Amino acid sequence: MNEWIEQFTGWLLEVTQIEGFWILLITIPLALIQGIIGIFPFATIVMVNISVLGVMNGLLASWIAGSVAGMAVYMICKFLFSDWFNRRWLSKLQKYERWQKSLNRYGVWAVIFLRTVPIMPNNLISFMSAVSSLKTISYTWSNMIGNLSSIWLFGILSASIVFPNMDLRLLILSYAIFLLALLAAFFVRQRFMMKKDRGMTV
């Protein structure tokens, strides 16, 4: 499937002569298909963007495509086809019940973690968020940050394939700093919530 997507994308680029960030006219629809059906990994879209735009612009384009797709699928699940998605993914929800509970408890942080670590499909993350207690504005931010983290990681892996001689140390170091900042923010937030809970019980 990945090879077919890459061949199809290459054919579209050749026919349309699209250059620069106009590649988003191809990769955003592909991201929507991936976000709804999940028939190919999002890493394929990252590789396409990087091969056309280079590493940094390719990562930016992939982040835009991933964030738009994640938001669109969330809205579809929440307001339009929630019953259909519920029937379609009910059995898989049972498999990921532990993560659904984590999503209800940790909200934004759970979405960021699940977007970063490929534990479950993107479409299922969007659907679980839509049926959880997570507010739309909270999902919007967690979707953007989670996609940034995920695409950054995919970008490091993809760049080593597309540009094998490229020095990736700065990209890897900056990603490590980003993850440390996220962890620090999480623990500060948890500590604040624990103090708030203790204050309410006094």
Side-chain angles (χ1 to χ4, degrees), residues 109 184-200:
W109 298 104
F186 172 75
F187 285 118
V188 168
R189 173 67 174 172
Q190 289 304 109
R191 188 174 180 83
F192 172 78
M193 294 302 294
M194 289 174 62
K195 286 184 177 180
K196 183 178 178 182
D197 290 340
R198 284 199 296 265
M200 292 176 65

Side-chain angles (χ1 to χ4, degrees), residues 60-152:
L60 177 59
S62 299
W63 179 53
I64 293 170
S67 297
V68 169
M71 203 67 219
V73 175
Y74 170 83
M75 290 298 184
I76 289 172
C77 294
K78 193 173 185 68
F79 299 112
L80 297 179
F81 303 124
S82 58
D83 291 339
W84 181 85
F85 271 82
N86 194 19
R87 293 193 303 270
R88 175 69 174 80
W89 297 103
L90 184 59
S91 60
K92 293 190 178 184
L93 277 180
Q94 294 171 353
K95 177 181 176 182
Y96 296 112
E97 183 179 1
R98 180 167 60 95
W99 292 109
Q100 182 70 62
K101 290 179 180 177
S102 297
L103 187 58
N104 288 329
R105 180 177 180 183
Y106 295 108
V108 167
W109 298 104
V111 174
I112 292 172
F113 177 78
L114 292 173
R115 290 282 191 215
T116 302
V117 182
I119 296 173
M120 66 179 65
N122 282 333
N123 46 14
L124 193 55
I125 297 171
S126 299
F127 173 65
M128 289 171 61
S129 300
V131 299
S132 74
S133 57
L134 189 65
K135 295 181 180 179
T136 300
I137 186 64
S138 298
Y139 173 79
T140 301
W141 284 108
S142 61
N143 178 56
M144 293 175 65
I145 296 172
N147 271 302
L148 177 61
S149 180
S150 173
I151 289 163
W152 208 329

